[in-house]
Each structure stands twice: as C-alpha cells, then as structure tokens.
Amino acid sequence: QVQLVESGGGFVQAGGSLRLSCGASGRTFSSYAMGWFRQAPGKEREFLSAISGTPGGTTLYADSVKGRFTISRDNAKNTVSLQMNSLKPEDTAVYYCAADSNWLATRQSRRYDYWGQGTQVTVSS
C-alpha cells in the first residue's frame, strides 16, 4: 500500500518554472517506478515522465515535455519531483504522480498501481 501526495502546483506566467513534489509512504518506495501525468478539462490523462525503481536510472519523457521537464527521485526522503521549465499555457492541467510496483518505468497509465490526488498547475499567457 502506497499513499501519494503531490505539492508544488500553482499559478505561473508563460516561460516560468515550477517544481512539483510527490511524497510517498511505504517502505518499498525505492523499488517502485514513479510517473507523472496530467489531465486538462475535457481531455484524457496524458503521460509526462517516469523514472525506474531499483536498480534505477532510467527515465522516460513525453515528446511534449522533452527538454523542459526533468524527473528525479530521492529515495532517502521517499519523494519524486518534476522540475518544469519554460512553461506554456498548454501545460495548464491537474498534475498527478503515480507509483508502479514494477521496477520498470512505463508510459502506460494502466500499469500504475497508486495515484495521488493531483495538484493544479495554471500557466497564464
């Protein structure tokens, strides 16, 4: 059982930056692949990025965020972060972190076992 809580969302102007954080409960956090997704009103949930669990090191990014977003994790603190730079109005959405009991990072939302409640990111033009 894993409990996930996102934080760090808010309002930002286009071109600005935000850093999202996801705190996780569970003693097996380091072995879980972690992912970030987002969902805008009227749209389907969209994959953004993922990072593998132990042994770790592998990351995945959606084409829409490559070069702008960076995923990282701190297993000692049971957290995963998403650094978002050069934000665009199109990035406005609710952002979710997710945990997969499998080690392998994946783009497929159905593979994730646990989800946070989401945090709102609003980018003004």
Side-chain angles (χ1 to χ4, degrees), residues 93-107:
V94 176
Y95 284 66
Y96 299 88
C97 69
D100 179 5
S101 59
N102 196 298
W103 296 350
L104 184 64
T106 179
R107 300 173 184 269

PDB file of all heavy atoms in Angstrom, residues 93-107:
ATOM      1  N   ALA A  93      -3.093  22.188 -16.320  1.00  0.00           N
ATOM      2  CA  ALA A  93      -3.753  20.908 -16.078  1.00  0.00           C
ATOM      3  C   ALA A  93      -3.616  20.557 -14.606  1.00  0.00           C
ATOM      4  O   ALA A  93      -2.911  21.228 -13.853  1.00  0.00           O
ATOM      5  CB  ALA A  93      -3.127  19.806 -16.931  1.00  0.00           C
ATOM      6  N   VAL A  94      -4.299  19.489 -14.222  1.00  0.00           N
ATOM      7  CA  VAL A  94      -4.060  18.876 -12.927  1.00  0.00           C
ATOM      8  C   VAL A  94      -2.964  17.841 -13.117  1.00  0.00           C
ATOM      9  O   VAL A  94      -3.062  16.985 -13.999  1.00  0.00           O
ATOM     10  CB  VAL A  94      -5.325  18.226 -12.350  1.00  0.00           C
ATOM     11  CG1 VAL A  94      -5.019  17.521 -11.038  1.00  0.00           C
ATOM     12  CG2 VAL A  94      -6.411  19.276 -12.147  1.00  0.00           C
ATOM     13  N   TYR A  95      -1.947  17.903 -12.291  1.00  0.00           N
ATOM     14  CA  TYR A  95      -0.799  17.017 -12.402  1.00  0.00           C
ATOM     15  C   TYR A  95      -0.857  15.949 -11.318  1.00  0.00           C
ATOM     16  O   TYR A  95      -1.099  16.250 -10.145  1.00  0.00           O
ATOM     17  CB  TYR A  95       0.502  17.816 -12.280  1.00  0.00           C
ATOM     18  CG  TYR A  95       0.833  18.574 -13.533  1.00  0.00           C
ATOM     19  CD1 TYR A  95       0.022  19.616 -13.976  1.00  0.00           C
ATOM     20  CD2 TYR A  95       1.951  18.239 -14.299  1.00  0.00           C
ATOM     21  CE1 TYR A  95       0.307  20.299 -15.142  1.00  0.00           C
ATOM     22  CE2 TYR A  95       2.249  18.927 -15.462  1.00  0.00           C
ATOM     23  CZ  TYR A  95       1.422  19.956 -15.874  1.00  0.00           C
ATOM     24  OH  TYR A  95       1.724  20.636 -17.036  1.00  0.00           O
ATOM     25  N   TYR A  96      -0.615  14.716 -11.718  1.00  0.00           N
ATOM     26  CA  TYR A  96      -0.692  13.575 -10.826  1.00  0.00           C
ATOM     27  C   TYR A  96       0.629  12.815 -10.807  1.00  0.00           C
ATOM     28  O   TYR A  96       1.263  12.638 -11.844  1.00  0.00           O
ATOM     29  CB  TYR A  96      -1.770  12.591 -11.281  1.00  0.00           C
ATOM     30  CG  TYR A  96      -3.168  13.149 -11.326  1.00  0.00           C
ATOM     31  CD1 TYR A  96      -3.653  13.783 -12.463  1.00  0.00           C
ATOM     32  CD2 TYR A  96      -4.009  13.027 -10.229  1.00  0.00           C
ATOM     33  CE1 TYR A  96      -4.937  14.285 -12.514  1.00  0.00           C
ATOM     34  CE2 TYR A  96      -5.297  13.523 -10.271  1.00  0.00           C
ATOM     35  CZ  TYR A  96      -5.755  14.151 -11.412  1.00  0.00           C
ATOM     36  OH  TYR A  96      -7.035  14.643 -11.455  1.00  0.00           O
ATOM     37  N   CYS A  97       1.019  12.338  -9.643  1.00  0.00           N
ATOM     38  CA  CYS A  97       2.097  11.369  -9.586  1.00  0.00           C
ATOM     39  C   CYS A  97       1.495   9.990  -9.380  1.00  0.00           C
ATOM     40  O   CYS A  97       0.382   9.839  -8.869  1.00  0.00           O
ATOM     41  CB  CYS A  97       3.127  11.693  -8.498  1.00  0.00           C
ATOM     42  SG  CYS A  97       2.569  11.502  -6.798  1.00  0.00           S
ATOM     43  N   ALA A  98       2.227   8.983  -9.786  1.00  0.00           N
ATOM     44  CA  ALA A  98       1.747   7.615  -9.707  1.00  0.00           C
ATOM     45  C   ALA A  98       2.902   6.683  -9.411  1.00  0.00           C
ATOM     46  O   ALA A  98       4.054   6.973  -9.742  1.00  0.00           O
ATOM     47  CB  ALA A  98       1.069   7.216 -11.024  1.00  0.00           C
ATOM     48  N   ALA A  99       2.582   5.564  -8.786  1.00  0.00           N
ATOM     49  CA  ALA A  99       3.583   4.570  -8.416  1.00  0.00           C
ATOM     50  C   ALA A  99       3.232   3.222  -9.032  1.00  0.00           C
ATOM     51  O   ALA A  99       2.069   2.817  -9.039  1.00  0.00           O
ATOM     52  CB  ALA A  99       3.674   4.444  -6.901  1.00  0.00           C
ATOM     53  N   ASP A 100       4.241   2.543  -9.513  1.00  0.00           N
ATOM     54  CA  ASP A 100       4.107   1.226 -10.123  1.00  0.00           C
ATOM     55  C   ASP A 100       4.982   0.260  -9.340  1.00  0.00           C
ATOM     56  O   ASP A 100       6.188   0.483  -9.222  1.00  0.00           O
ATOM     57  CB  ASP A 100       4.540   1.305 -11.585  1.00  0.00           C
ATOM     58  CG  ASP A 100       4.457  -0.016 -12.322  1.00  0.00           C
ATOM     59  OD1 ASP A 100       3.974  -1.013 -11.743  1.00  0.00           O
ATOM     60  OD2 ASP A 100       4.878  -0.053 -13.496  1.00  0.00           O
ATOM     61  N   SER A 101       4.398  -0.806  -8.828  1.00  0.00           N
ATOM     62  CA  SER A 101       5.159  -1.763  -8.040  1.00  0.00           C
ATOM     63  C   SER A 101       6.240  -2.467  -8.853  1.00  0.00           C
ATOM     64  O   SER A 101       7.162  -3.047  -8.288  1.00  0.00           O
ATOM     65  CB  SER A 101       4.226  -2.790  -7.397  1.00  0.00           C
ATOM     66  OG  SER A 101       3.479  -3.485  -8.381  1.00  0.00           O
ATOM     67  N   ASN A 102       6.133  -2.413 -10.160  1.00  0.00           N
ATOM     68  CA  ASN A 102       7.182  -2.908 -11.039  1.00  0.00           C
ATOM     69  C   ASN A 102       8.349  -1.924 -11.070  1.00  0.00           C
ATOM     70  O   ASN A 102       8.141  -0.720 -10.942  1.00  0.00           O
ATOM     71  CB  ASN A 102       6.626  -3.103 -12.449  1.00  0.00           C
ATOM     72  CG  ASN A 102       7.500  -3.960 -13.325  1.00  0.00           C
ATOM     73  OD1 ASN A 102       8.640  -3.620 -13.604  1.00  0.00           O
ATOM     74  ND2 ASN A 102       6.963  -5.082 -13.773  1.00  0.00           N
ATOM     75  N   TRP A 103       9.550  -2.408 -11.245  1.00  0.00           N
ATOM     76  CA  TRP A 103      10.727  -1.553 -11.302  1.00  0.00           C
ATOM     77  C   TRP A 103      10.796  -0.733 -12.589  1.00  0.00           C
ATOM     78  O   TRP A 103      11.382   0.349 -12.594  1.00  0.00           O
ATOM     79  CB  TRP A 103      12.018  -2.378 -11.228  1.00  0.00           C
ATOM     80  CG  TRP A 103      12.224  -3.125  -9.961  1.00  0.00           C
ATOM     81  CD1 TRP A 103      11.506  -3.021  -8.811  1.00  0.00           C
ATOM     82  CD2 TRP A 103      13.249  -4.083  -9.723  1.00  0.00           C
ATOM     83  NE1 TRP A 103      12.025  -3.865  -7.868  1.00  0.00           N
ATOM     84  CE2 TRP A 103      13.095  -4.535  -8.400  1.00  0.00           C
ATOM     85  CE3 TRP A 103      14.286  -4.616 -10.506  1.00  0.00           C
ATOM     86  CZ2 TRP A 103      13.935  -5.483  -7.828  1.00  0.00           C
ATOM     87  CZ3 TRP A 103      15.132  -5.562  -9.949  1.00  0.00           C
ATOM     88  CH2 TRP A 103      14.949  -5.989  -8.622  1.00  0.00           C
ATOM     89  N   LEU A 104      10.223  -1.246 -13.668  1.00  0.00           N
ATOM     90  CA  LEU A 104      10.433  -0.691 -14.995  1.00  0.00           C
ATOM     91  C   LEU A 104       9.550   0.519 -15.234  1.00  0.00           C
ATOM     92  O   LEU A 104       8.329   0.460 -15.077  1.00  0.00           O
ATOM     93  CB  LEU A 104      10.152  -1.762 -16.038  1.00  0.00           C
ATOM     94  CG  LEU A 104      10.404  -1.395 -17.497  1.00  0.00           C
ATOM     95  CD1 LEU A 104      11.885  -1.105 -17.722  1.00  0.00           C
ATOM     96  CD2 LEU A 104       9.929  -2.524 -18.399  1.00  0.00           C
ATOM     97  N   ALA A 105      10.151   1.617 -15.635  1.00  0.00           N
ATOM     98  CA  ALA A 105       9.392   2.812 -15.986  1.00  0.00           C
ATOM     99  C   ALA A 105       8.539   2.540 -17.216  1.00  0.00           C
ATOM    100  O   ALA A 105       8.971   1.876 -18.157  1.00  0.00           O
ATOM    101  CB  ALA A 105      10.336   3.976 -16.251  1.00  0.00           C
ATOM    102  N   THR A 106       7.315   3.055 -17.205  1.00  0.00           N
ATOM    103  CA  THR A 106       6.397   2.835 -18.304  1.00  0.00           C
ATOM    104  C   THR A 106       5.592   4.087 -18.590  1.00  0.00           C
ATOM    105  O   THR A 106       5.351   4.910 -17.702  1.00  0.00           O
ATOM    106  CB  THR A 106       5.440   1.667 -18.004  1.00  0.00           C
ATOM    107  OG1 THR A 106       4.529   1.497 -19.089  1.00  0.00           O
ATOM    108  CG2 THR A 106       4.646   1.926 -16.728  1.00  0.00           C
ATOM    109  N   ARG A 107       5.159   4.226 -19.840  1.00  0.00           N
ATOM    110  CA  ARG A 107       4.325   5.345 -20.262  1.00  0.00           C
ATOM    111  C   ARG A 107       2.839   5.066 -20.089  1.00  0.00           C
ATOM    112  O   ARG A 107       2.026   5.972 -20.221  1.00  0.00           O
ATOM    113  CB  ARG A 107       4.585   5.656 -21.740  1.00  0.00           C
ATOM    114  CG  ARG A 107       6.016   6.036 -22.070  1.00  0.00           C
ATOM    115  CD  ARG A 107       6.194   6.151 -23.583  1.00  0.00           C
ATOM    116  NE  ARG A 107       7.579   6.419 -23.932  1.00  0.00           N
ATOM    117  CZ  ARG A 107       8.092   7.631 -24.071  1.00  0.00           C
ATOM    118  NH1 ARG A 107       7.324   8.703 -23.904  1.00  0.00           N
ATOM    119  NH2 ARG A 107       9.370   7.781 -24.384  1.00  0.00           N
TER     120      ARG A 107
END
